[in-house]
Amino acid sequence: MDIEMGLDAHATIIFWSMILPLIGAVGVVALGRWPNLRDSWTIVVGISTFTCVTRLIEPVMAGARPSLALPGNMAGLGLALEVEPLGLLFGLVASGLWILTSLYGFGYMRGHEEVNQTRFFTCFALAISAALGIAFAGDLITLFLFYELLTFSTFPLVTHAGTEAAIRAGRLYLGILVSTSVLFLLLAILWTANLSDTLRFTPGGILDGKIAGASAGLLLLLFSYGVGKAALMPFHRWLPAAMVAPTPVSALLHAVAVVKAGVFTVLKISIYIFGIDFLAKDGLSDILMGIAAITILAASIRALSLDNLKARLAYSTISQLSYIVLGAALANSAAAMGAGLHILMHALGKITLFFVAGAVMVVAHKTEVSQLDGLGRRMPITFGAFCIASFSIIGLPPFGGAWSKWYLVTGAFDADQPWMVVVFMLSSLLSIAYLMPIVVRAFFRPLPEGVPDGINEAPLLILLPICATALGCFVIFFYADSVYRLLAPAMGLGG
Amino acid sequence: MSDLASHLPVLQVLIPLLAAPLCFLLRKEAIVLPFTIAVSFACFAISMNLLSQVLGGDILVYEFGGWSRPYGIEYRVDILNAFVLVVVSGIAAVVFAVGPGQARRVIPEGREYLFYSAALLCLTGLLGVTITGDVFNIFVFLEISSLSSYILIALGLNRRALMAAFSYLIMGTIGATFLLIGIGFMYQATGTLNMVDMAHRIQVLGPTKGVLVALAFVMVGISIKLAVFPLHHWLPNAYSYAPPLVSAFLASTATKVAYYLLIRFTFGLFGAALVFETVGIDRLLLPLSIIAMFVGSIAAIYQTEFKRLLAYSSIAQIGYMTLGLSFATQAGVSAGLIHVFNHALMKGALFLVAACVTWRMGGTNLDVMKGLGQRMPFTMAAMVVAGLALVGVPGTVGFVSKWALVSAALEVDALWIAFLIMASSILALVYVWKVVEIAYFQTPEVELERREPPLRLLIPTWILAGAAIYFGIFSSYAVDVAELAAQQVFMVGL
Amino acid sequence: MTSLANQILSHWNYLAVITLMMIGLYIAISRGNLVKKVMGMSVFQTSVILLYVSMAKVTGGTAPILIEGRDDIIYSNPLPHVLMLTAIVVGVATTALGLALIVRINEAYGTVEEDEIVAMDRAEDERDLRSEDAS
């Protein structure tokens, strides 16, 4: 009885963590006329949401799987939420970074004097709710529902500027994400429904023994390409296009929530629909592995040649996302663990980098890498944070990225895929090559003449989140163990 | 009371039939409007009651004048036609509730009573076609609904509405006459007009020449009414020049009733074995459905008028329905029926949005819709919701349809058809998004203040748009009924 | 040869039906004059009436008026005749509505020739396009 009571309490927590951002969105609309009140409200809601999600850590680590059946059913299948370790981690990342991004967003949007801020923060809250829905989805249908909701709720954010370029980018964004999800993902889900009597995420997978050979490979590819948000090449173009959005959107959504929702979905499908063991059989995931490897390298090389800072970061994101896909495709516990950890580590690093890009845009109105000469001297804290985050992305200790890369490489060895080890190494080198020059330029090149004295550190609202996430990159290195313990049961690594 | 309850099947048709001339006599708008609303809601209540009576598997038979089969005419209600009755009368109740009053320009001024009596007659015809168990009765009611729909279309403000109505009249009459010829041959072959009796005798007869000729004529006749590709040419003009309220009503009911007839004749009267195995109609219907899905959607993309765009989209959506039927499986028919219900909701909502836009801007050219997202936010939000439903976004009714249809395709191992269904829904995204972009991102040529249409127009719009979401999330009501209906069609036949 | 001739002669009413049907359908589809279209449609509908009446004929049958005490009389089938009464009503209504529409079309366009109406509509579209370009 006790356990049941406990689970009901957890269901309530799930309910509130999903519903709070929605209430937040309504509140934002209602308070639209009073910007200060509206923004404080967003923060309050953000903190409450995050608190709700953190309260799920304890039961999940204790082995419980809190669940909540949503009212309604689509196509005769009920909607269900179930919190498992991987989803919880993603939920924590999304809701936690939402608070920081909101703070940053206030500074940025006001500094940039953006219009329609109410619509902006409303859609933002809706997007977070959808991201949490993806994180906690208990079956494929529920996941698909929130996946599409996330796409449509972020569309107004991408086209926020309303310019011709923004509309074109929005078209590409929607076109690729919806086409892939409908053409491939939905088809794959329906196919799965045809094969198996359940669509629930089940430890060990549900497909083993029901499909084999080339069809299984095709299904895996349909799933992987269907999740367009994972930005596997050649369906990656939407991500650089989405960079026309205001920087807080690029930071939270296109470095964390949306793209991580994509790779999270791939990872979750690999673990809970196919099952790691099934994927490892007969080289089922070899093709996916190859595609991920090519994406990692090609995106890194593309990033090298881009001068626009946000575009360069976008391609870096594409490359880093494929780390996670590759981790799933390597199909063993260590690689899956690496992939899971990378969701968190890359999120912390990449959001910092975007925050910095936005700060530079607000303060110095610079968008290109070649314009950054000497700016590090004027904005030492900002660029210091950039440097830390870059180290983490590259995978240097003592920063968080080192751990995820460690497990990924271990996983590649375990899977007897030396070439994949080479890919990881090469891509690390490439990431040094596209990130470090920015730091070097900012700190060691002389400031060009004619830069006004007014350019200094960014406003506090912007600076604070930057420092927090950069610090996070560092601190998490020492606390990676607890994240490992959280994820271990999901990856079949024991308690 | 119980006496009255036993007469419900006939009241379903009788009430609107008597109400129509009354409307014409009453004339005064203040009386006609509440009267029509009351009548349409009564019809809706009756159809709901009928559905609840037959849902258990019983079949209601109402014999006229106590003459039993095969001598008399009977009305026959099973799950399939009760379901269609609910859709038709429900849409009628919502659409008719939009009064002319302030909603100027939606129905021509001074002709409101004509609109209402024609609309009620049209409703009578549609309900009659659906409920009757007599083949010749189908023809008569079909002509009642068609003749009144020509009148309704001709009420359009643009003079082109007249030509649209005229072309529809010619095409529609040819279609109905084909049906009549088919019915004649069926009668000649079987010597009965009662549907149950006829189905039984056709089964005994087998594919004789007379039956095959009858099948050919009936199929072509229904296909014209249903606007199956390539017999769809009357539809775009008719829907785009008719008054928007008329388009809303016809688009969500008339083609649905024709689809019902298609199911009734193929699975009920002629029998699936004859239609699909002996004649192999699916070999024709399946490719035509798929072509309709693509041609309709692609044509919709290039339209510059909102209602015309919706009309072409209807052709594509009818393709989905006939595709479901052409699988000749229970899942396929059930998917088609689910889409009948869902499409009625979303197309109804979209045409009502067109009515809102017409009220505000005097037309529905895409040019005048520029920037309406800011100027009519609630109307345009309904448009986005219903449009997304058309695309099949999860959480809307469109997703439920798509799921059912693709499942049915996968059930017969047609992965490529499943893929094509998905691909055509991407095309739907293109034409829906084209309108969304115009409404939200383009600046209007003339500055307009923010103003919504009157609530009488906005509330019905949102009822349908809201239903498109509600039944997308709580889909089991419609899905269960459609599945039961399909099951009955397959297990019991007629 | 004689059997074929027999066939034709014994089914001459059906041949007439088919001929009328084709003539009607052809006129309804191919004529540009709207009044002719309606007339063609009418011919088409009338041919169906003949079809039904033909099938009701029983060889040697007489009008189906029941005569008490006689059971050796062959009657024609009354049902198709009755059905055709309804069909005639429907046909009249359709023709009337078609003609009424033509009157309205004539008022609106000043012509009842389809080509001219289509040309007028097209000219109107082009004018709209031009004025749009100009603005």
Side-chain angles (χ1 to χ4, degrees):
Chain A
M1 282 310 279
D2 261 3
I3 295 170
E4 270 178 36
M5 293 288 286
L7 280 180
D8 278 348
H10 299 150
T12 319
I13 302 174
I14 300 179
F15 173 76
W16 280 109
S17 50
M18 295 278 305
I19 218 77
L20 271 171
L22 291 183
I23 297 175
V26 175
V28 167
V29 175
L31 298 174
R33 266 184 237 164
W34 304 280
N36 287 329
L37 210 58
R38 179 193 66 200
D39 294 355
S40 331
W41 166 254
T42 307
I43 292 293
V44 170
V45 171
I47 292 175
S48 340
T49 310
F50 183 61
T51 318
C52 266
V53 181
T54 50
R55 287 188 53 197
L56 291 166
I57 298 178
E58 199 187 329
V60 170
M61 288 197 86
R65 294 290 175 266
S67 63
L68 169 68
L70 292 180
N73 64 54
M74 285 159 38
L77 303 152
L79 297 175
L81 299 175
E82 190 182 62
V83 184
E84 47 74 54
L86 195 61
L88 180 59
L89 178 72
F90 175 50
L92 282 169
V93 170
S95 61
L97 291 179
W98 182 33
I99 307 174
L100 292 176
T101 314
S102 299
L103 273 180
Y104 178 85
F106 308 144
Y108 179 90
M109 298 301 275
R110 291 175 185 194
H112 230 222
E113 287 164 3
E114 295 267 0
V115 290
N116 289 331
Q117 293 193 18
T118 301
R119 183 181 79 194
F120 180 84
F121 287 112
T122 309
C123 289
F124 221 117
L126 289 177
I128 292 299
S129 187
L132 286 175
I134 294 176
F136 296 156
D139 56 50
L140 277 171
I141 286 287
T142 317
L143 187 133
F144 186 71
L145 168 68
F146 288 110
Y147 183 93
E148 295 289 57
L149 288 184
L150 184 60
T151 309
F152 284 101
S153 62
T154 47
F155 175 80
L157 297 172
V158 172
T159 54
H160 185 79
T163 56
E164 192 56 39
I167 293 168
R168 218 174 305 122
R171 231 176 263 163
L172 196 63
Y173 183 80
L174 209 63
I176 293 183
L177 289 185
V178 175
S179 311
T180 51
S181 71
V182 170
L183 275 179
F184 307 134
L185 182 57
L186 184 56
L187 195 60
I189 292 175
L190 272 151
W191 193 353
T192 312
N194 205 31
L195 293 171
S196 151
D197 46 3
T198 176
L199 289 175
R200 263 178 65 109
F201 292 118
T202 314
I206 57 172
L207 283 175
D208 197 359
K210 292 186 173 116
I211 189 171
S215 324
L218 180 63
L219 184 59
L220 179 65
L221 277 187
L222 279 180
F223 267 122
S224 316
Y225 273 131
V227 186
K229 293 192 170 85
L232 274 179
M233 282 185 178
F235 296 111
H236 65 285
R237 289 282 315 279
W238 63 271
L239 184 55
M243 290 301 145
V244 296
T247 308
V249 176
S250 310
L252 183 62
L253 297 176
H254 301 121
V256 182
V258 173
V259 289
K260 290 302 178 321
V263 285
F264 164 77
T265 305
V266 172
L267 197 55
K268 193 147 177 173
I269 287 170
S270 313
I271 295 176
Y272 292 103
I273 296 296
F274 282 89
I276 294 179
D277 297 334
F278 180 45
L279 276 186
K281 254 188 233 169
D282 312 325
L284 177 58
S285 56
D286 281 357
I287 297 179
L288 182 59
M289 214 183 283
I291 294 167
I294 290 170
T295 307
I296 291 178
L297 295 178
S300 303
I301 292 167
R302 182 88 180 91
L304 279 177
S305 65
L306 287 167
D307 194 32
N308 183 294
L309 182 53
K310 276 173 80 178
R312 186 180 286 200
L313 294 180
Y315 272 96
S316 156
T317 305
I318 295 172
S319 140
Q320 297 283 326
L321 289 175
S322 278
Y323 275 47
I324 298 167
V325 178
L326 183 51
L330 285 169
N332 58 50
S333 302
M337 174 58 78
L341 285 175
H342 204 60
I343 289 183
L344 170 65
M345 304 306 179
H346 175 249
L348 281 172
K350 196 44 75 57
I351 200 171
T352 315
L353 296 183
F354 273 108
F355 280 170
V356 170
V360 173
M361 215 186 277
V362 169
V363 174
H365 305 292
K366 306 281 191 228
T367 54
E368 309 300 307
V369 173
S370 52
Q371 299 170 332
L372 298 179
D373 290 0
L375 270 183
R377 299 177 199 180
R378 292 285 182 85
M379 308 169 73
I381 304 179
T382 311
F383 276 94
F386 191 93
C387 186
I388 290 175
S390 301
F391 285 149
S392 183
I393 299 277
I394 293 163
L396 296 177
F399 301 103
W403 282 119
S404 49
K405 213 162 253 188
W406 169 265
Y407 280 106
L408 282 170
V409 172
T410 313
F413 276 118
D414 284 356
D416 283 328
Q417 297 284 355
W419 282 109
M420 293 304 135
V421 179
V422 174
V423 167
F424 282 127
M425 291 304 144
L426 263 179
S427 116
S428 294
L429 288 177
L430 284 168
S431 59
I432 294 177
Y434 63 73
L435 285 174
M436 282 339 273
I438 301 172
V439 180
V440 172
R441 259 175 196 281
F443 280 111
F444 300 112
R445 289 269 185 99
L447 205 60
E449 293 192 10
V451 173
D453 289 339
I455 293 183
N456 249 314
E457 284 295 359
L460 200 63
L461 272 179
I462 292 183
L463 206 56
L464 216 62
I466 294 180
C467 295
T469 48
L471 195 66
C473 290
F474 175 66
V475 171
I476 201 70
F477 179 79
F478 300 99
Y479 289 95
D481 182 46
S482 49
V483 186
Y484 179 92
R485 271 188 289 122
L486 173 69
L487 288 182
M491 312 304 175
L493 284 168
Chain B
M1 265 328 270
S2 68
D3 206 35
L4 188 67
S6 67
H7 289 295
L8 280 184
V10 68
L11 287 177
Q12 174 85 85
V13 181
L14 201 59
I15 291 178
L17 181 64
L18 293 179
L22 268 178
C23 272
F24 189 79
L25 295 174
L26 289 172
R27 284 208 179 207
K28 277 227 166 63
E29 188 200 322
I31 311 171
V32 169
L33 171 66
F35 179 67
T36 312
I37 294 175
V39 167
S40 55
F41 272 91
C43 284
F44 184 48
I46 292 173
S47 65
M48 287 299 278
N49 183 292
L50 289 176
L51 179 65
S52 70
Q53 282 188 53
V54 296
L55 217 45
D58 300 333
I59 291 173
L60 278 183
V61 177
Y62 183 89
E63 290 162 350
F64 275 81
W67 291 92
S68 59
R69 182 188 316 153
Y71 303 107
I73 292 173
E74 66 176 18
Y75 280 2
R76 209 160 177 286
V77 189
D78 62 2
I79 305 177
L80 173 65
N81 58 7
F83 180 66
V84 179
L85 288 175
V86 168
V87 173
V88 171
S89 60
I91 293 288
V94 175
V95 172
F96 293 172
V98 181
Q102 308 164 47
R104 65 198 157 87
R105 303 195 214 174
V106 180
I107 308 163
E109 272 173 88
R111 300 209 196 121
E112 289 87 359
Y113 69 100
L114 283 180
F115 169 81
Y116 282 114
S117 36
L120 282 174
L121 263 185
C122 190
L123 177 65
T124 309
L126 294 172
L127 293 174
V129 169
T130 314
I131 204 169
T132 187
D134 182 276
V135 188
F136 192 76
N137 237 302
I138 289 181
F139 165 74
V140 176
F141 278 119
L142 196 65
E143 280 301 70
I144 292 181
S145 75
S146 302
L147 285 169
S148 45
S149 64
Y150 308 144
I151 299 173
L152 287 171
I153 290 168
L155 284 175
L157 291 170
N158 193 320
R159 64 178 179 180
R160 292 182 196 194
L162 296 170
M163 257 325 268
F166 185 82
S167 313
Y168 183 24
L169 180 130
I170 298 288
M171 273 309 269
T173 306
I174 291 174
T177 311
F178 266 65
L179 187 65
L180 184 62
I181 297 170
I183 290 171
F185 280 110
M186 285 168 93
Y187 175 69
Q188 200 170 25
T190 60
T192 179
L193 288 171
N194 181 286
M195 282 160 68
V196 179
D197 212 27
M198 191 182 257
H200 180 69
R201 292 190 192 185
I202 287 178
Q203 207 163 17
V204 175
L205 273 175
T208 60
K209 264 185 203 156
V211 172
L212 292 180
V213 171
L215 178 67
F217 274 108
V218 167
M219 282 300 138
V220 174
I222 297 177
S223 298
I224 291 177
K225 287 283 173 190
L226 180 57
V228 173
F229 182 89
L231 301 171
H232 64 275
H233 282 288
W234 58 270
L235 188 142
N237 276 334
Y239 284 9
S240 44
Y241 296 126
L245 273 190
V246 173
S247 313
F249 177 61
L250 290 182
S252 14
T253 55
T255 47
K256 310 296 176 282
V257 169
Y259 184 67
Y260 156 79
L261 281 184
L262 194 61
I263 295 182
R264 204 42 123 201
F265 273 92
T266 48
F267 291 98
L269 280 163
F270 289 103
L274 175 80
V275 175
F276 292 100
E277 280 160 37
T278 315
V279 180
I281 254 181
D282 48 331
R283 269 173 285 165
L284 186 64
L285 195 56
L286 190 124
L288 286 182
S289 307
I290 290 175
I291 295 173
M293 277 154 50
F294 282 88
V295 170
S297 300
I298 291 170
I301 292 172
Y302 289 102
Q303 297 310 313
T304 54
E305 210 266 344
F306 185 50
K307 269 157 61 195
R308 208 174 178 77
L309 181 150
L310 295 178
Y312 275 105
S313 145
S314 275
I315 291 165
Q317 302 288 325
I318 290 164
Y320 287 125
M321 294 173 208
T322 49
L323 179 67
L325 186 122
S326 68
F327 292 142
T329 61
Q330 193 178 318
V333 172
S334 151
L337 282 174
I338 293 168
H339 199 52
V340 162
F341 176 76
N342 294 342
H343 183 243
L345 292 181
M346 47 206 190
K347 249 324 140 41
L350 284 168
F351 273 115
L352 284 182
V353 167
C356 295
V357 174
T358 311
W359 173 84
R360 178 78 202 272
M361 309 299 298
T364 48
N365 232 318
L366 287 181
D367 287 339
V368 305
M369 292 180 75
K370 283 179 185 168
L372 278 190
Q374 282 80 41
R375 279 145 199 93
M376 303 172 75
F378 285 102
T379 311
M380 285 300 122
M383 192 270 290
V384 173
V385 165
L388 289 182
L390 210 52
V391 180
V393 172
T396 64
V397 285
F399 179 75
V400 178
S401 302
K402 202 156 63 178
W403 182 275
L405 195 59
V406 176
S407 298
L410 288 176
E411 198 189 82
V412 294
D413 282 327
L415 192 63
W416 63 278
I417 294 179
F419 191 79
L420 288 177
I421 296 170
M422 300 299 186
S424 82
S425 71
I426 304 286
L427 292 176
L429 179 70
V430 176
Y431 61 72
V432 167
W433 217 255
K434 176 178 151 177
V435 185
V436 171
E437 277 188 2
I438 287 173
Y440 284 92
F441 294 121
Q442 297 202 359
T443 38
E445 275 138 24
V446 269
E447 244 348 278
L448 284 166
E449 82 280 27
R450 181 180 157 166
R451 191 153 136 234
E452 292 289 348
L455 285 179
R456 267 153 132 195
L457 205 48
L458 198 58
I459 288 175
T461 310
W462 265 103
I463 286 177
L464 290 184
I469 293 183
Y470 181 82
F471 288 104
I473 296 173
F474 300 90
S475 63
S476 50
Y477 304 116
V479 172
D480 287 353
V481 175
E483 275 172 0
L484 282 174
Q487 193 185 2
Q488 201 176 39
V489 165
F490 270 77
M491 299 298 158
V492 186
L494 261 165
Chain C
M1 226 18 231
T2 47
S3 73
L4 183 67
N6 249 342
Q7 282 270 324
I8 293 173
L9 284 176
S10 63
H11 288 85
W12 65 270
N13 47 345
Y14 287 100
L15 287 175
V17 166
I18 293 170
T19 316
L20 278 177
M21 211 178 257
M22 290 306 116
I23 291 173
L25 197 57
Y26 178 78
I27 296 174
I29 291 172
S30 69
R31 286 295 112 174
N33 186 305
L34 300 184
V35 180
K36 287 183 184 167
K37 261 185 188 306
V38 171
M39 291 306 121
M41 195 186 71
S42 235
V43 172
F44 182 51
Q45 285 179 310
T46 312
S47 71
V48 178
I49 296 172
L50 278 182
L51 174 74
Y52 269 73
V53 172
S54 295
M55 60 173 96
K57 174 71 184 166
V58 178
T59 316
T62 174
I65 303 163
L66 210 59
I67 301 169
E68 294 285 340
R70 293 279 301 272
D71 49 3
D72 57 336
I73 301 175
I74 303 170
Y75 298 115
S76 281
N77 185 351
L79 187 64
H81 293 90
V82 179
L83 297 181
M84 281 312 102
L85 284 181
T86 318
I88 289 168
V89 173
V90 169
V92 168
T94 314
T95 311
L97 182 59
L99 291 174
L101 277 174
I102 292 174
V103 171
R104 290 280 313 276
I105 289 172
N106 193 31
E107 281 169 10
Y109 286 90
T111 174
V112 291
E113 290 292 333
E114 199 179 11
D115 318 348
E116 292 173 22
I117 293 169
V118 170
M120 283 162 88
D121 281 346
R122 194 165 295 153
E124 200 177 74
D125 283 341
E126 272 162 20
R127 214 169 31 245
D128 287 351
L129 270 180
R130 260 202 303 277
S131 66
E132 220 167 81
D133 287 345
S135 72

